[in-house]
Amino acid sequence: MNEVRTVDLAHLNEEAFFRRLYVEHRKMYALAYSYMRNEADALEVVQEASCRAWMKRNKLKDEQAFTPWLIRITINCCMDELRRKKRVYPAEKLAEEAAQEMQSNERIDLERAMHRMKPKYRHAVILKYYQDMTAAQIAEVLEKPEGTIKTWLREGLKQLRNYL
């Protein structure tokens, strides 16, 4: 009765795949925004993640794992984009950030502290506090034991306190 239904999403028609993707769109955007911190970049990441999901849909065998799989793809796209942005930093962005810093020092301090954290801790903290996911849900997304996720959350918060 409780058998897991296995579906090769590559064989689903395009409409069914994009229907599933549409259901998760808001979650993808919220997650991308929490990493990218601006609307344009977040939308670009969601578009890239959607494209990657479509191209890699044949690698997903378990229909129940669609959401965590899609979240992992979105996180990976965010990390790729953040790495790319580190390499290319236009001069006008510096002036824009200086003006923004005067407006909201506390938010900037928090963002800087988040970026100084080890990525595994940052992922766990973002999913927990920006996406309101449980430790069990985070464990599924990051493919780690729940105990590990709880440790990462504790250590991540400890690092944040030290940085702030």
Side-chain angles (χ1 to χ4, degrees):
M1 283 274 182
N2 283 341
E3 79 180 51
V4 176
R5 208 171 97 196
T6 303
V7 174
D8 183 356
L9 291 179
H11 291 42
L12 287 178
N13 66 26
E14 187 174 334
E15 182 182 331
F17 179 85
F18 284 107
R19 200 173 316 122
R20 292 286 311 268
L21 193 63
Y22 179 76
V23 168
E24 303 298 336
H25 188 262
R26 278 183 177 271
K27 191 179 295 180
M28 291 170 67
Y29 175 78
L31 180 62
Y33 190 86
S34 67
Y35 275 88
M36 305 310 298
R37 307 309 301 160
N38 83 49
E39 184 178 359
D41 290 343
L43 289 170
E44 187 175 321
V45 164
V46 168
Q47 185 176 14
E48 175 65 21
S50 300
C51 183
R52 282 188 197 177
W54 174 253
M55 292 182 334
K56 296 179 181 206
R57 70 193 181 282
N58 59 342
K59 293 184 179 184
L60 179 66
K61 302 296 182 210
D62 181 4
E63 182 181 6
Q64 301 302 315
F66 184 82
T67 299
W69 174 75
L70 193 57
I71 289 171
R72 264 192 314 281
I73 290 173
T74 305
I75 290 171
N76 289 338
C77 288
C78 289
M79 298 309 294
D80 291 348
E81 184 65 15
L82 288 170
R83 275 191 292 275
R84 188 187 69 73
K85 283 189 169 297
K86 256 186 189 170
R87 289 190 302 254
V88 179
Y89 211 78
E92 66 268 6
K93 191 81 168 168
L94 291 172
E96 180 183 311
E97 280 190 7
Q100 188 180 24
E101 188 168 350
M102 287 189 278
Q103 293 174 358
S104 177
N105 283 333
E106 290 170 2
R107 193 178 105 218
I108 296 294
D109 289 343
L110 177 61
E111 287 179 19
R112 285 183 180 153
M114 292 287 286
H115 285 288
R116 290 178 63 192
M117 293 170 66
K118 288 185 177 180
K120 62 185 180 182
Y121 301 150
R122 184 172 59 240
H123 295 321
V125 168
I126 285 175
L127 292 173
K128 172 74 176 166
Y129 296 102
Y130 285 78
Q131 300 303 311
D132 202 28
M133 295 175 86
T134 65
Q137 291 169 323
I138 297 168
E140 187 179 358
V141 167
L142 298 180
E143 297 178 328
K144 299 290 180 194
E146 190 173 343
T148 300
I149 297 304
K150 289 177 180 179
T151 300
W152 288 1
L153 286 168
R154 187 178 65 251
E155 288 301 313
L157 292 176
K158 188 170 145 184
Q159 279 188 8
L160 273 178
R161 277 191 292 275
N162 289 337
Y163 295 148
L164 294 173

